[in-house]
């Protein structure tokens, strides 16, 4: 399946939406007639479709032909399945849309990520005429030489540090941790703690420590937590209990390694009557809808899932494939949990 | 692919976990050696494996052979993708585990649910040697005769009302709505409103109305809302604004059609200073982790995704396939949002 024809960047539904100043959904409603659209709006959409040369039915045509082009998305089947994490759910939906925009269907499927099972899944994909594989490996080591021999193009997602000869991409977690920790310090906190994995080589741990050192403040405390909602809740209880044992507790600040963990921390603080941000300020990581709808709204580092999804699919389908690691910057989203004067 | 050998109910990892009194993850750790397990715990797990005749490597063996058995899970590619809904994310993970327990991999893939596209996807699945299809159709009508002619077994999930000759299942939404509305009435509210889809034939709407009528109280108000977080937030703002215009607002209660909508309603109430449950009591629907980690915790109707996933996969793989509609009861989960004295 290597050496397929190049897939130039075609206009996407999103491009049309941006040019017409409407949502993606309104583009679909206009073109598919699935919901009523005001005449003036529909005209703007159709003008944008013409101007950009958007071909809305490309995916549908490929599917109707019965020989649809298809990519596989391999995700972990862990005890904490990927789709129960809203961040990855949103990432998967974005990848699906990016593939569809290029006329590809996406099969999402789970694996234990044991090396023999990953290899078996790659062979299975090849046998089923799948055109390429997106691998949500995270920190799991992959036997890239063995996978390459299967002959399918593949790219690893959610990768922090590139490996020679492997196509991969991921958010710059370290830089994100620096940005969030620095932001909390700028709110006037004399120190910033970290709630996350107990792994000093993990980029968010590294970035947190770097930011504290650069600011000349003591780093701490570090609160080890599983990166799940219950893990965050447990960490939050420990922080709240330590605080209530202190006769004159000072305001504190914590950088929390993921939105999901932070939702658990928030929950524990609500249970213990700890006010956010007045008693303890929080900044988290990912930029999922969970952070937006938490109370108070979570200041977070938004991973650029749109840009990463577009790049992952484009690189997978390029004739002239590169095998480099691509690092994406993210974006600080200010809400109320850190002390910023946001509506949230 | 019809007429395959029957798939009797085999012991699952979960059965082993229950018998050994440990989590699913600890069973995996013990059998795969992926994390340390205390000796006494490992012995309990291995005893349970033996007693139940659990065959942990069945899925792995099938995959290693390169000829894995595979099911497809067809979900909507709407403007509000299914995986951004935590309830469906949890359902998908549960289906994947149910398939894996029977030695099947699961490919999850999205479609517009236009009849021609669904048919094309079924043909594509047949061409790729997929063994059966789980269809998350919801209320979208399907051309079941055309799909049957493709020759793949299939079953429709999340279906409220069965159709003759179509294998389907779903939660009894109407009964759930009756349970939640009645529960709010039992808290002493003189009336209960409903936040949900503007569709009087939708089973949750029907159930809400039935419960009010049965209790002899006026039903209302009805607040139309998109079943999304922003839709809920918008509805919450409307409810809060109407309340603040009332010089002597009375406590109220609302049944909200989904956890996701309720999270948006809660957010709006926090923004407007409306206290839950003191000013307005809330009960919602689905039983997702979002309801558990909301503040206050959401009293909700838990859809039995575990039982539904097991049944869906078992029925799909049975030699002697039935084409009936199976309705599942759910369960009221009490938390603080309705006024119950829960820790949440």
């Amino acid at each position: 399946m290597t050496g397929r024809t190049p897939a130039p960047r075609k206009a996407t539904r999103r491009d049309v939406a941006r040019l017409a100043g409407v949502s993606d959904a309104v583009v679909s409603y206009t073109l598919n007639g699935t919901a009523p659209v005001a005449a003036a709006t529909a005209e703007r959409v159709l003008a944008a479709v013409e101007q950009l040369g958007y071909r809305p039915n490309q995916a549908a045509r490929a599917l109707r032909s019965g020989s649809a082009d298809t990519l596989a998305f391999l995700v972990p089947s862990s005890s904490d399945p990927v789709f129960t994490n809203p961040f990855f759910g949103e990432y998967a939906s974005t990848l699906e849309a990016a593939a569809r925009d290029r006329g590809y269907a996406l099969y999402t499927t789970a694996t234990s990520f044991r090396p023999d099972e990953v290899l078996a899944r790659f062979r299975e994909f090849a046998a089923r005429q799948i055109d390429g594989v997106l691998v949500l490996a995270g920190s799991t080591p992959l036997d890239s030489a063995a996978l390459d021999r299967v002959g399918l193009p593949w790219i690893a997602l959610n990768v922090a540090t590139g490996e020679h000869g492997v196509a991969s991409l991921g958010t710059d977690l370290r830089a994100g941790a620096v940005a969030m920790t620095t932001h909390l310090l700028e709110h006037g906190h004399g120190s910033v703690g970290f709630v996350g994995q107990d792994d000093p080589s993990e980029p968010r741990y590294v970035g947190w420590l770097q930011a504290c050192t650069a600011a000349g403040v003591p780093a701490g405390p570090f609160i080890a937590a599983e990166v799940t909602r219950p893990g965050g809740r447990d960490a939050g209880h420990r922080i709240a209990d330590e605080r209530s044992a202190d006769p004159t507790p000072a305001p504190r600040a914590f950088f929390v390694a993921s939105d999901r963990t932070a939702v658990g921390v928030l929950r524990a603080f609500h249970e213990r009557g700890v006010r956010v941000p007045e008693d303890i300020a929080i900044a988290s990581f990912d930029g999922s809808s969970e952070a937006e709808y938490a109370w108070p709204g979570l200041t977070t580092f938004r991973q650029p899932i749109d840009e990463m999804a577009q790049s992952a699919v484009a690189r997978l389908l390029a004739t002239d494939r590169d095998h480099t690691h691509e690092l994406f910057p993210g974006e600080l989203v200010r809400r109320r949990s850190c002390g910023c004067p946001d509506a949230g």
Side-chain angles (χ1 to χ4, degrees), chain A residues 70-77 82-83 85-97 99 104-111 113 118 121-122 124-125 130-138 152-159 169 305 308-309 312-313 316:
Chain A
T70 302
L71 305 178
F73 179 33
L74 200 56
V75 304
S77 65
V82 69
F83 286 124
N85 181 342
F87 168 69
F88 285 116
E90 290 161 27
Y91 199 177
S93 293
T94 308
L95 279 169
E96 197 274 327
Y104 285 77
L106 186 72
Y107 286 169
T108 300
T109 187
T111 170
F113 273 107
V118 176
R121 298 305 302 271
F122 266 63
E124 172 204 328
F125 296 147
I130 281 169
D131 301 292
V133 190
L134 301 145
V135 183
L136 191 69
L152 282 178
W154 63 282
I155 186 166
L157 310 184
N158 208 33
V159 169
L169 57 79
I305 57 176
M308 292 195 290
V313 173
L316 195 59

Side-chain angles (χ1 to χ4, degrees), chain A residues 45-210:
Chain A
V45 170
L46 295 172
V49 164
E50 196 176 337
Q51 184 178 334
L52 295 171
Y54 175 58
R55 291 161 58 202
N57 290 317
Q58 181 191 4
R61 266 202 306 274
L63 293 170
R64 268 197 296 273
S65 79
S67 63
D69 292 325
T70 302
L71 305 178
F73 179 33
L74 200 56
V75 304
S77 65
S78 56
S79 55
D80 178 37
V82 69
F83 286 124
T84 66
N85 181 342
F87 168 69
F88 285 116
E90 290 161 27
Y91 199 177
S93 293
T94 308
L95 279 169
E96 197 274 327
R100 185 156 25 97
D101 277 339
R102 285 178 172 76
Y104 285 77
L106 186 72
Y107 286 169
T108 300
T109 187
T111 170
S112 69
F113 273 107
R114 284 202 325 272
D116 59 338
E117 185 171 333
V118 176
L119 185 58
R121 298 305 302 271
F122 266 63
R123 288 182 179 140
E124 172 204 328
F125 296 147
R128 289 196 210 272
Q129 310 292 321
I130 281 169
D131 301 292
V133 190
L134 301 145
V135 183
L136 191 69
S139 55
T140 313
L142 295 166
D143 183 351
S144 58
L147 297 183
D148 283 341
R149 280 193 295 273
V150 175
L152 282 178
W154 63 282
I155 186 166
L157 310 184
N158 208 33
V159 169
T161 311
E163 199 186 319
H164 182 71
V166 176
S168 63
L169 57 79
T171 301
D172 192 338
L173 305 179
R174 191 200 53 75
V178 167
M180 301 316 282
T181 305
T182 304
H183 182 72
L184 288 170
L185 288 169
E186 285 168 359
H187 273 289
H189 294 285
S191 71
V192 171
F194 175 51
V195 178
Q197 265 180 273
D198 191 2
D199 175 2
S201 72
E202 203 279 325
R204 280 163 290 197
Y205 193 119
V206 171
W208 162 68
L209 216 53
Q210 282 182 344

